[in-house]
Amino acid sequence: MPLLARMLPAPIQMEVRRGAVAELGALLADSRVATSGRVAVAVGPGQGDHIESLIAPTLDEAQVFRVSDGSVEAAVSLGADLRKGAYEVVVGVGGGKTIDTTKYAASLAGIPMVAVATNLSHDGICSPTASLLYEGGKGTFGVPMPLAVLVDLDFVHKAPQSLVRSGVGDVLANLSACEDWQLSHVERGEPIDGLACSMARTAAEALLGRADSVESDAFLTVLAESLILSGMSMVVAGSSRPASGGDHEIMHAVDQLFPGTSNHGELAGVGTAFCYFLREDEARLKQVVGCLRQHQLPVTPGDIGLSSEQFTAAVSLAPATRPGRYTILEHLRLQDSEIRDRVEDYVRAFGR
Ligand SMILES: [Zn+2]
């Protein structure tokens, strides 16, 4: 008998709402998540005390660990603690760094991980990857996807707005990444996964044209769901392909050449707009730039404090940050002088 459908791994629970952290105990009472009650909770340095006091009434037997930073060392050390304590599940509560550190630690300890996001700055909430500081740079490590995913909107409302907004840039990058994937499929015969593309693109389409922004629960819910769907699209694809193309190559290059310029999502948004400019896709470019502006996100190199020369250097380096990934940048193979011209045209078109 032929295979009638493919099976996809998916979190057994997903919730986006206010008050999720305070009700963690109820989630963990679900027998599919934990049976014996040996639960570890990992929190970041910033809001650790607050989170600990919130979960104490419903999770009094959980052991709380502090994650010092988003480094491989912190993850390895947490992984060793988790193994030693024979925990059944670990819950990572916090922003991207805490969640990624916990994800990697859980994979080292061989136990499942529950992600409780308090911020919406990138699509790592539900992805099968952990981005960690490693040997002076950032490395991406493959990990199992979280067993359950919660987003607490009370925390998201209190998080720095610029960080929450940046999640929009990371989701918009899906449009450009899928375009790159399609290009590689046509030019290079790279296999493409239509289901992964449809999830990644639908996540981004949901954000385009919305009149509300990060002040509204309705918008934050869509943003959270889009970020989770992006992560799922990577699980379906078995790689970051549907959510990372030339847009993310530019981001990685800016990170390498000019560390500390801006965060993941903001840079991904600028990279996305610039890739659409290179594709000369006026309609999409207008939509993407309009959406970035609507959410007060950077569009031009100047918006992130880079000169045209610096941005040119980043675009030139970009393909080398992800060898083997074919995108609009590898396709056009522009010389440095041509990149400079395009960057200057872009700044002329969108500079304010
Ligand atoms: Zn990203």
Side-chain angles (χ1 to χ4, degrees):
M1 180 154 145
L3 191 64
L4 294 177
R6 63 169 146 167
M7 307 298 284
L8 301 174
I12 56 175
Q13 270 207 38
M14 175 192 140
E15 271 190 70
V16 180
R17 63 183 172 90
R18 289 172 176 266
V21 170
E23 289 162 43
L24 249 187
L27 168 91
L28 293 169
D30 183 328
S31 60
R32 293 171 302 175
V33 179
T35 51
S36 65
R38 278 193 73 75
V39 173
V41 177
V43 296
Q47 15 185 32
D49 290 334
H50 177 48
I51 291 168
E52 209 174 335
S53 67
L54 269 181
I55 60 175
T58 59
L59 262 182
D60 52 342
E61 277 165 29
Q63 175 75 41
V64 178
F65 294 94
R66 297 298 168 104
V67 175
S68 53
D69 57 24
S71 66
V72 169
E73 293 76 39
V76 169
S77 145
L78 176 61
D81 285 338
L82 295 175
R83 242 193 337 265
K84 244 183 279 157
Y87 293 98
E88 194 175 20
V89 62
V90 58
V91 186
V93 188
K97 276 185 205 152
T98 305
I99 287 186
D100 277 11
T101 309
T102 311
K103 261 195 219 167
Y104 192 54
S107 80
L108 294 175
I111 60 172
M113 182 265 184
V114 171
V116 183
T118 58
N119 204 334
L120 296 175
S121 55
H122 61 74
D123 61 19
I125 303 171
C126 189
S127 71
T129 58
S131 171
L132 298 168
L133 295 170
Y134 181 59
E135 289 180 352
K138 268 205 163 173
T140 302
F141 301 85
V143 294
M145 79 186 304
L147 178 68
V149 178
L150 302 186
V151 176
D152 191 320
L153 293 183
D154 284 327
F155 278 85
V156 176
H157 274 292
K158 285 184 216 131
Q161 273 207 354
S162 61
L163 266 183
V164 181
R165 292 178 189 283
S166 66
V168 175
D170 205 21
V171 176
L172 289 184
N174 295 1
L175 298 170
S176 179
C178 288
E179 206 102 46
D180 282 337
W181 199 359
Q182 182 66 34
L183 180 71
S184 178
H185 177 62
V186 171
E187 295 287 324
R188 295 290 197 80
E190 181 184 340
I192 189 167
D193 189 319
L195 179 63
C197 280
S198 82
M199 291 167 81
R201 264 199 298 255
T202 302
E205 293 282 358
L207 296 181
L208 292 174
R210 284 192 71 105
D212 52 356
S213 189
V214 297
E215 306 76 25
S216 121
D217 273 18
F219 179 81
L220 290 179
T221 302
V222 173
L223 176 57
E225 290 173 349
S226 290
L227 289 166
I228 292 168
L229 211 50
S230 293
M232 294 281 301
S233 75
M234 291 189 254
V235 174
V236 170
S239 77
S240 62
R241 202 38 154 141
S244 166
D247 35 270
H248 276 59
E249 290 184 339
I250 293 174
M251 177 204 78
H252 290 308
V254 170
D255 264 348
Q256 275 180 31
L257 292 174
F258 315 107
T261 294
S262 186
N263 61 46
H264 181 105
E266 288 192 352
L267 293 176
V270 173
T272 299
F274 187 70
C275 284
Y276 273 112
F277 182 76
L278 291 181
R279 289 186 194 102
E280 299 178 8
D281 181 341
E282 292 296 326
R284 262 300 191 218
L285 178 62
K286 203 170 152 217
Q287 276 184 322
V288 167
V289 169
C291 187
L292 293 173
R293 292 247 163 92
Q294 152 80 8
H295 300 290
Q296 299 170 33
L297 285 162
V299 173
T300 63
D303 292 344
I304 47 173
L306 295 183
S307 65
S308 294
E309 290 71 43
Q310 288 173 317
F311 194 70
T312 299
V315 174
S316 170
L317 174 69
T321 65
R322 192 77 205 226
R325 184 152 289 186
Y326 191 79
T327 76
I328 185 71
L329 304 176
E330 286 80 356
H331 180 68
L332 295 176
R333 297 174 61 188
L334 299 174
Q335 301 299 308
D336 283 358
S337 61
E338 296 171 299
I339 297 175
R340 193 172 320 114
D341 289 347
R342 302 310 303 273
V343 169
E344 276 165 12
D345 289 347
Y346 179 72
V347 170
R348 255 192 301 280
F350 296 107
R352 283 174 286 187

